[in-house]
Amino acid sequence: MTSISTIIPWHEIARAIQLPINGTALPQRTTCPVCRQRDSLQLYHDSKLGGAWHLCVHCGITGELFDLACRVFNLSLEETLTRLETLGVNVPDACRDSLKQAESYKPEQQRTVKLWQKAQRQYPHSQSISILRLRRKLNIYA
């Protein structure tokens, strides 16, 4: 599946959602548009899939930059593409094809997010020998 974030340059999406950025090089830190914390949103190049992804160290949002645009605009994937176009972003036809694939991928993505959330909740309480050894090795004492 081709990600929209690999088709539309990350800095064009960032500009459209009014993220204060410094040039086009990654990584970068900026203000999170969700929680408004200064320098808490980290932007990175996705070396596996291409494009850019984000992580807010304050509120915990994470994902591709296009996902962040959907959240900021509070719109569906298709509506966000249209909104980007109205803001002057070049949206190639390949983006709309990618949307069709993304919709079929959503259930798997949601399962992955739920698994990660469950792991985050249970990790500090795990008494597994492997987890305890790993925590000791990494000096993580919860």
Side-chain angles (χ1 to χ4, degrees):
M1 178 174 84
T2 302
S3 165
I4 290 173
S5 295
T6 64
I7 301 170
I8 301 174
W10 77 268
H11 52 89
E12 289 186 26
I13 296 173
R15 181 181 47 81
I17 61 175
Q18 300 180 344
L19 279 183
I21 58 170
N22 187 13
T24 61
L26 290 173
Q28 289 201 29
R29 291 183 91 130
T30 189
T31 301
C32 177
V34 175
C35 68
R36 305 282 184 220
Q37 289 294 312
R38 192 164 180 240
D39 289 333
S40 67
L41 186 71
Q42 300 173 0
L43 305 172
Y44 297 99
H45 173 72
D46 186 336
S47 58
K48 185 175 180 183
L49 301 174
W53 63 276
H54 67 279
L55 164 69
C56 178
V57 296
H58 185 260
C59 70
I61 63 163
T62 187
E64 294 183 1
L65 211 52
F66 183 73
D67 298 331
L68 182 59
C70 292
R71 185 172 190 142
V72 168
F73 296 145
N74 195 26
L75 297 172
S76 70
L77 300 173
E78 180 71 38
E79 292 167 329
T80 298
L81 280 182
T82 302
R83 178 78 176 271
L84 290 172
E85 285 178 317
T86 63
L87 293 170
V89 175
N90 178 32
V91 177
D93 292 337
C95 289
R96 304 226 186 266
D97 295 336
S98 181
L99 276 186
K100 293 172 189 164
Q101 292 176 335
E103 287 300 326
S104 66
Y105 181 69
K106 234 179 195 357
E108 183 178 337
Q109 186 179 29
Q110 289 170 345
R111 282 193 304 273
T112 304
V113 167
K114 285 179 183 177
L115 174 64
W116 177 245
Q117 290 169 341
K118 182 179 178 182
Q120 286 179 310
R121 283 191 310 270
Q122 292 181 346
Y123 164 76
H125 308 292
S126 175
Q127 295 302 314
S128 154
I129 296 297
S130 298
I131 294 292
L132 293 173
R133 284 182 185 148
L134 180 61
R135 286 173 45 193
R136 189 177 319 120
K137 183 176 182 177
L138 296 175
N139 293 320
I140 300 173
Y141 303 100

